[in-house]
Amino acid sequence: MAQTHGDAHATPSVRVVPFGVQNAHAVLRAATAADDKYSRGVVGLRTGSVTYPGAAVLGVEGAWRAGAGLVRYRGDASALVLARRPETVTTGERCDAWVIGSGQTIADAEAAGTTELLAGSVPVVADAGALELVAVPHAPTVMTPHAGEFARVARANEIGLTGDNAVDVATVSAALGAVIVLKRSRTLVAAPHRADDQAEVWSITVETPWLSTAGTGDVLAGMIGSVIAQRRPAGFDELALCAATAVFLHSRAGALAATHGSVTPHPIVAMDVAEMVPLAVAEVLCGGAE
Ligand SMILES: NC(=O)C1=CN([C@@H]2O[C@H](COP(=O)(O)OP(=O)(O)OC[C@H]3O[C@@H](n4cnc5c(N)ncnc54)[C@H](OP(=O)(O)O)[C@@H]3O)[C@@H](O)[C@H]2O)[C@@H](O)CC1
Ligand SMILES: Nc1ncnc2c1ncn2[C@@H]1O[C@H](COP(=O)(O)OP(=O)(O)O)[C@@H](O)[C@H]1O
């Protein structure tokens, strides 16, 4: 995948485009009789740590629930991951996408091989502790910062921010040559663009504020890896579509979880969101709410 680097100091012209069910429908595909677990997509996670083993469990659950044919887990939380999801394979390195950094410090992410993965050719989803290790990525990379992490990434790479989120996400994406998913109540997804082109930024308004609960970002990172592994995107624009599709599914799953059993939305936990992802996938596959 060719990299595109813009001028980090230029203010790009940006068009914000809402990402909806039809966009997601064009990215996902249903399993067919010709499929096997490998053709369905293999996603690998090097996530979690002794301090945050739960992040690994949540990411693995998100990866399975979004439809990957096989999920590998390599890291410190194998016992917990297998207790929750015995389907997970804890050996092997061959994957269609990697997820790294959730539940890790920068040192944990370095020890887990982030640098080696970023130097490879398999797409990488860089979350939490892996974010500041992405300088000029070589692997096709999706970065998934929340607002605090986004500011830290910009500072670490000496990229000035304007305060306009759409402009800033396009600027950081162009400067780092990576897809950026800026997670908020309205999540923005930008792919690297040429400095002289208008940047298109996908926007997904998260359906329920109950999604603002610890660990939902870890679920999302696994889901993004899963959609990438299934789709095997050919370039940055498709990589961004995969990331936006996972954000859309995550938002729908959050809304389904928050209204499960009652019309009035209610509190949810991150695992509730992961458990509703298959229903969100079904909605998208049939092109809209059932
Ligand atoms: N069960 C598990 O294992 C879980 C594990 N987890 C793992 O924990 C690790 C730490 O992740 P984390 O996001 O809690 O801390 P971190 O990135 O250092 O941010 C700290 C500072 O940043 C800011 N800030 C934060 N959010 C912001 C926002 N939305 N919007 C704006 N600002 C925001 C805020 O700073 P302030 O604004 O207060 O100055 C805050 O004090 C990470 O590896 C993650 O994967 C979690 O996923 C939970 C479940
Ligand atoms: N007010 C809000 N309304 C809707 N969604 C939100 C809101 N605040 C955060 N979110 C979503 O919640 C998730 C939180 O992710 P993150 O900050 O990485 O949490 P964690 O690290 O605890 O997993 C993101 O998907 C984000 O878009």
Side-chain angles (χ1 to χ4, degrees):
M1 198 180 288
Q3 288 189 53
T4 318
H5 296 283
D7 175 352
H9 302 288
T11 301
S13 148
V14 172
R15 193 164 76 97
V16 177
V17 185
F19 186 95
V21 67
Q22 295 304 331
N23 302 102
H25 181 78
V27 171
L28 292 186
R29 75 168 178 88
T32 70
D35 272 315
D36 57 49
K37 63 191 175 192
Y38 298 110
S39 69
R40 297 265 315 282
V42 179
V43 56
L45 293 96
R46 296 190 195 177
T47 52
S49 58
V50 174
T51 311
Y52 297 117
V57 180
L58 292 164
V60 164
E61 187 79 14
W64 277 117
R65 293 302 198 180
L70 194 155
V71 179
R72 298 189 196 282
Y73 176 75
R74 310 302 308 269
D76 293 329
S78 290
L80 274 184
V81 164
L82 289 172
R84 165 73 196 183
R85 202 40 72 205
E87 300 87 340
T88 308
V89 174
T90 54
T91 57
E93 291 289 326
R94 218 170 128 183
C95 297
D96 299 303
W98 281 103
V99 181
I100 192 139
S102 308
Q104 295 179 339
T105 61
I106 295 177
D108 293 329
E110 269 175 332
T114 294
T115 311
E116 162 210 331
L117 290 179
L118 287 171
S121 57
V122 174
V124 175
V125 180
D127 189 30
L131 287 167
E132 285 179 63
L133 296 172
V134 181
V136 178
H138 297 280
T141 300
V142 177
M143 300 170 69
T144 59
H146 58 55
E149 291 165 333
F150 185 68
R152 278 208 295 269
V153 166
R155 222 171 16 249
N157 290 282
E158 299 180 351
I159 302 167
L161 300 181
T162 65
D164 178 326
N165 287 321
V167 168
D168 290 341
V169 77
T171 300
V172 173
S173 172
L176 296 182
V179 171
I180 310 285
V181 177
L182 174 55
K183 298 179 294 190
R184 307 177 63 97
S185 56
R186 185 181 72 145
T187 292
L188 298 174
V189 180
H193 64 286
R194 284 209 307 270
D196 50 346
D197 283 350
Q198 185 181 53
E200 283 204 343
V201 173
W202 293 111
S203 107
I204 299 100
T205 299
V206 178
E207 276 192 64
T208 175
W210 289 112
L211 201 56
S212 55
T213 181
T216 54
D218 305 321
V219 172
L220 175 62
M223 293 174 65
I224 296 173
S226 185
V227 175
I228 293 169
Q230 293 171 68
R231 173 79 189 194
R232 301 185 181 93
F236 276 114
D237 289 343
E238 259 193 61
L239 192 64
L241 285 172
C242 290
T245 296
V247 173
F248 182 87
L249 290 171
H250 184 249
S251 161
R252 267 312 285 147
L256 289 165
T259 51
H260 186 62
S262 85
V263 177
T264 307
H266 51 68
I268 51 177
V269 295
M271 197 58 93
D272 297 337
V273 179
E275 286 175 354
M276 285 296 173
V277 171
L279 292 184
V281 169
E283 283 185 1
V284 167
L285 287 175
C286 79
E290 285 177 270

